[in-house]
Amino acid sequence: QVQLVESGGGLVQAGGSLRLSCAASGRTLSSYTMGWFRQAPGKEREFVASMSNHGTTLYADSAKGRFTISRDNAVSTVYLQMNSLKSEDTAVYYCAADKTYWVPRSQANSYDYWGQGTQVTVSS
């Protein structure tokens, strides 16, 4: 069992940056592929970024060039650095862990554990 807790969300102006963190407990983070998803009001949850345990990454088109996923297995934490934020990035951001650790994954139903989410609001 893995427990995930996100932090770092908040209110930021368009063009600004935020760094989200996802702290894992219960098992070592190195056993999992990690992912970030988001859900805006009235919309379905969508993939943002993923990183395998060996560091292979996968990004949604909307995140490429602006967002960077990283992980520090020593402290069991995954990060999402978000730059050049836009109003359409406003959403609740969720971190997730997938036991299929050798490849990054974009499908939400591939993930086994989820955090509670952190709100990101980008004002225009």
Side-chain angles (χ1 to χ4, degrees):
Q1 191 78 7
V2 174
Q3 293 79 43
L4 303 172
V5 179
E6 301 97 334
S7 61
L11 174 64
V12 64
Q13 288 189 333
S17 298
L18 280 175
R19 188 177 81 155
L20 306 183
S21 299
C22 172
S25 61
R27 290 195 64 178
T28 176
L29 199 60
S30 60
S31 300
Y32 298 91
T33 280
M34 300 301 296
W36 286 96
F37 291 77
R38 67 187 184 186
Q39 188 166 18
K43 295 187 177 181
E44 294 189 353
R45 189 170 298 190
E46 66 174 3
F47 170 71
V48 177
S50 176
M51 177 178 273
S52 72
N53 67 330
H54 291 301
T56 303
T57 57
L58 181 67
Y59 292 94
D61 288 343
S62 60
K64 287 178 182 176
R66 299 189 301 128
F67 295 2
T68 303
I69 186 172
S70 61
R71 62 194 295 163
D72 186 342
N73 290 338
V75 294
S76 293
T77 302
V78 179
Y79 305 97
L80 184 68
Q81 177 67 44
M82 303 188 295
N83 299 327
S84 303
L85 283 162
K86 307 174 182 178
S87 58
E88 51 263 43
D89 295 319
T90 295
V92 177
Y93 283 71
Y94 297 90
C95 145
D98 176 2
K99 291 184 285 188
T100 310
Y101 54 84
W102 56 87
V103 291
R105 295 284 190 110
S106 62
Q107 302 94 335
N109 60 11
S110 297
Y111 288 79
D112 303 287
Y113 304 103
W114 292 83
Q116 83 291 348
T118 185
Q119 176 70 47
V120 171
T121 302
V122 184
S123 63
S124 56

